[in-house]
Amino acid sequence: MPAPSMPSMPDTPSAPPSLLQHRGAERRYDSPIVATAASRDGQSLCALTADGEAVLVNCEKLRQSEEWQVVELHEGGICLATDSQPGSFLSGGEDGRVMRLQADGRSEELHKGRGWVDCVASTPGNIAFSVKKDVHLCNAAGDETLKVLPHPSALSGLAFDAKGRRLAASHYNGVSLWFVKSRDAKPRLLEWKGSHIGLIIHPRDEAVVTSMQENELHGWRLPDGHNMRMSGYPRQVRSMSFTPRGRWLATSGADSAILWPFFGGGPMGKPPAEFARLPGLFVTCVAAHPREEILAIGYEDGTLVLAETAGLPDDDTPRLLPLCQGARSGGVARGAISTLAFSAGGEMLMFGTEEGYVGVLDLSAGAQAAPASSPSGSAPV
Amino acid sequence: MTSPSASPSETVSSETSGESGALASAEGKVPVTVLTGFLGAGKTTLLNHILTAEHGRKYAVVVNEFGELGIDNDLVVDADEEVFEMNNGCICCTVRGDLIRVMGRLLRKKDRFDGIIVETTGLADPAPVAQTFFVDETVRDKARLDAVVTVVDAVNGLETLKQQPEAINQIAFADVIILNKCDLASEAQQQAMFRAIRQLNSVAPVHKAVRGDVRLTDVLDRGGFDLNRALANMPAFLEEGEGAHHHAHEPPHDHEHDHDCQAHGCTQDHDHAHDHISDSGISSHSFTLTEPLDEKRFQAWIGLLLQEKGADILRAKGILHFRGEPRRFVFQAVHMMAEGGFLPPAKGGGKGGDETSRLVFIGRHLNGAELQRGFERCVAA
């Protein structure tokens, strides 16, 4: 594997230094960033490249990009998730392997097969991954396969519910909901015709939502299985995130962040909030802060902002905090933001882009601003 | 954009998929060659011939069973031929979900190879493959279907056509046909096969081959579906109709290169119909008009035609001249999915016959006379 290229150029000299320059760092790698994840202990963040290299960032050395560790994990990286263990990550690749990566860079192989490992997920008690039509459910150590769960077609999404009792897997024509501990190997089938390409579970287990091939979302209310359909997107929805208590489901797929209300009977019959619109720029990635009513929003030109969702829906002009500017506003041509992850406590934010940039920001109140690199020294916000 | 809206799932909207897309740019798009052909026709032999030839290029290969092939290529991906219906309620609008997933990942790393070759199983219907290039955003944006190449067995081909309707579709769908095993077939067998091919597909060039030893330029970089590149192919596209009139019913004779037997036959050879092929109801109709067309009339006619008869129209292609428009309009469709766009004006005024519009339909139960009348009504008043 070629070594990572030199750290990227800062935003153009004419632009005021961005928050990313003040409170973070970014660096370019040789292939697109396919996923980012945070460890359970809040100490590290990880990004996976399409070539299968993992970029490990210790939150304490976040600004020293030369200290970021690059580990070759796969021949072709596909998916990355938080591990069951407090300080590590799980990844899946085109080489048919599932790997566990420790914060210090050590890795071990948990599974080796022939098919691509498409999805990986974990709770403190279990890990799960999918290969073609099968989901492998394992113990937390990853050394014992508890069940291999068959599905009618290939899997596109995998998620445990908040308590770790159920495992949802999306596929053509719907979602299979498995009880992790059940001896009865039959799933509850949530059916909806069509191709489901991604999956998310409400943090209070009230609903399962999938994104569909056809530029819309489909949802099932979990208590009664009622169907809900959220449509009107100009593009496919590639990114979904629930705000901490599950009030809003934020998504990409439009030229603003789309937020569906999951309260007061919503989302059915209720319009979504549309905000952080940057005219002509599509939102490509969203990530809700794990604790606060704050949403990180990434755009197709590499722009990244934070937006406050606390005042919604009454306040439709939320406070926006630009983190870095993209190519179309004079910033770095880092490509579309492809993945975002907050650290477990929400103090750090990592992003990855289609052109191979990984960036990390320290959002905590006590963070030291960098020595000003321009005479004015003022942050844009 | 239209605002997203949530609604009870009972209301399923029915957006049509037959809109005309913008003129696709060939720049930066990865060419994809789809290799079809019935079991034993020699697909894998041809594939290995392509991969081992001295062309200085790297291809990613998508196959269905990579265990048995022994393909000498470092980027072979196993796929499933997972076909799904689009959710618009139209039975002919099927796409391949596995290809969307596999190509989506391959295309992230498009710098690694110069093209993708998809080898389908012998029983596959090429339509879901081709439609994938119309339907999926990522595939459409990053890849272009270069050509559907169908390998036909010159010895057993006629027998296969009698027994296997899939083989009929494969020929009907082809942009290029390789008549393989010509060393084992008599001249009479080859001629009979050729006539059968011409009845199903009046436009695809037919190349004779022995053990898949085709010239690479005959199968790669055809630009079969690429509107910008169609200009380069247009002379051949037109020539075929005109050439057929000149060459019809002449005895076979050698041309400058003996692999090319496309001029030996008659492109509108309905008299030579063989009953066993007529039973399939598939036929090929091509029409030529020298008068300029009215763009609005054409769009209205073709739109309605695809809506009503799309399920039976396997392929439609056209290069059209509209009144008052110096640029040629290129049009193509698979079932109900269509796209079209204007070509840049021909350099140096182009060659003769620039005013000619030509349109080809390949499909089931098509009424040639009715299609001709409909096309003629598009002539500008």
Side-chain angles (χ1 to χ4, degrees), chain A residues 143-177:
Chain A
D143 55 8
E144 187 187 346
T145 302
L146 306 173
K147 290 174 201 171
V148 177
L149 310 170
H151 295 80
S153 59
L155 281 315
S156 56
L158 199 57
F160 286 97
D161 70 9
K163 298 192 180 84
R165 291 192 305 211
R166 286 176 294 189
L167 175 63
S170 60
H171 45 78
Y172 183 45
N173 286 341
V175 168
S176 294
L177 205 55

Side-chain angles (χ1 to χ4, degrees), chain B residues 24-37:
Chain B
S25 162
E27 270 174 52
K29 290 197 183 191
V30 175
V32 182
T33 303
V34 175
L35 205 51
T36 77

